[in-house]
């Protein structure tokens, strides 16, 4: 099994060595939001298992992804660097896939790209929040609402920023995400 998707080698959150140095601590990105005051904090969904995987091409790792999904049984899977393009077919049995592919721009290969997979027959109703898209930010926002009444909806964002981005790009990326979080309304 490829160690990039092996939960034993990197439980739940595999990160490529090049991306470790480019991560920005969440406290510096969203200093005014705390888990208890955030309008999208899933207070009632503390037992939901969510996986995040940097795939570096998901098409050739579907078998491994399926094995991990069957072993871990996550309700939500976020995938970065899917490398899919609009003509690519991708389906993980038992999951509904929401995806945002990076535009190809004349190449036949799509790098980048993000996806959010939500377990079918789960507790959630889902919808893609296209209104939260920002130019030049590779992020997919999915709103999840519990099918049972009385629970507030929450957002899952799967975002990717190439490690080769300039510091200006990092700041713009973080500013755009912070802008989205300040504009979110989940009260309906």
């Amino acid at each position: 099994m490829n160690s990039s998707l092996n939960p034993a080698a990197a439980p739940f959150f595999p990160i490529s060595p090049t991306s470790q140095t480019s991560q920005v601590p969440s406290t510096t990105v969203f200093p005014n939001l705390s888990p208890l005051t955030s309008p999208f904090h899933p207070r009632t969904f503390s037992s939901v298992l969510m996986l995040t995987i940097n795939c570096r091409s998901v098409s050739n790792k579907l078998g491994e992804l399926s094995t991990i999904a069957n072993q871990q049984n996550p309700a939500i899977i976020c995938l970065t660097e899917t490398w899919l393009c609009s003509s690519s077919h991708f389906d993980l049995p038992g999951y509904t896939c929401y995806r945002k592919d990076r535009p190809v721009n004349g190449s036949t290969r799509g790098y980048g790209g993000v996806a959010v997979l939500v377990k079918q027959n789960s507790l959630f109703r889902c919808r893609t929040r296209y209104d939260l898209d920002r130019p030049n930010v590779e992020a997919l926002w999915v709103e999840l609402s519990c099918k049972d009444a009385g629970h507030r909806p929450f957002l899952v964002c799967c975002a990717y920023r190439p490690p080769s981005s300039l510091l200006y790009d990092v700041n713009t990326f973080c500013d755009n995400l912070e802008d989205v979080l300040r504009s979110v309304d989940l009260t309906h």
Side-chain angles (χ1 to χ4, degrees):
M1 182 181 277
N2 182 327
S3 65
S4 67
L5 290 182
N6 184 346
F12 303 117
F13 303 103
I15 299 172
S16 68
T18 56
S19 66
Q20 288 177 340
T21 58
S22 62
Q23 289 184 340
V24 178
S26 62
T27 55
T28 61
V29 179
F30 310 112
N32 300 325
L33 298 176
S34 73
L36 296 178
T37 61
S38 171
F40 49 84
H41 181 68
R43 291 180 186 88
T44 58
F45 302 112
S46 61
S47 64
V48 172
L49 179 61
M50 179 179 185
L51 300 179
T52 300
I53 300 172
N54 184 12
C55 300
R56 299 204 54 184
S57 181
V58 72
S59 297
N60 63 350
K61 297 178 180 89
L62 187 56
E64 294 171 86
L65 183 59
S66 182
T67 299
I68 291 171
N70 288 332
Q71 290 174 348
Q72 303 295 332
N73 197 29
I76 303 162
I77 303 172
C78 291
L79 305 174
T80 58
E81 285 196 275
T82 60
W83 293 8
L84 299 171
C85 56
S86 60
S87 62
S88 303
H89 176 73
F90 173 73
D91 182 40
L92 183 64
Y95 286 84
T96 301
C97 180
Y98 303 88
R99 60 188 241 204
K100 183 176 183 181
D101 302 329
R102 185 182 290 177
V104 178
N105 297 331
S107 164
T108 57
R109 186 171 186 173
Y111 290 100
V114 293
V116 175
L117 303 148
V118 180
K119 191 162 189 71
Q120 293 170 351
N121 301 320
S122 68
L123 302 169
F124 307 112
R125 282 186 300 271
C126 307
R127 71 180 179 118
T128 303
R129 292 287 304 265
Y130 297 108
D131 60 310
L132 301 179
D133 279 352
R134 296 296 186 264
N136 304 316
V137 176
E138 199 163 341
L140 174 65
W141 298 86
V142 178
E143 181 179 318
L144 292 97
S145 304
C146 188
K147 291 178 181 174
D148 297 331
H151 298 284
R152 294 178 71 184
F154 65 98
L155 284 176
V156 170
C157 175
C158 184
Y160 176 73
R161 186 196 54 79
S164 62
S165 297
L166 302 172
L167 181 59
Y168 170 81
D169 294 333
V170 173
N171 291 334
T172 302
F173 180 83
C174 294
D175 289 346
N176 278 304
L177 290 178
E178 190 172 350
D179 176 56
V180 169
L181 292 174
R182 286 193 175 123
S183 73
V184 169
D185 178 17
L186 293 175
T187 57
H188 56 280

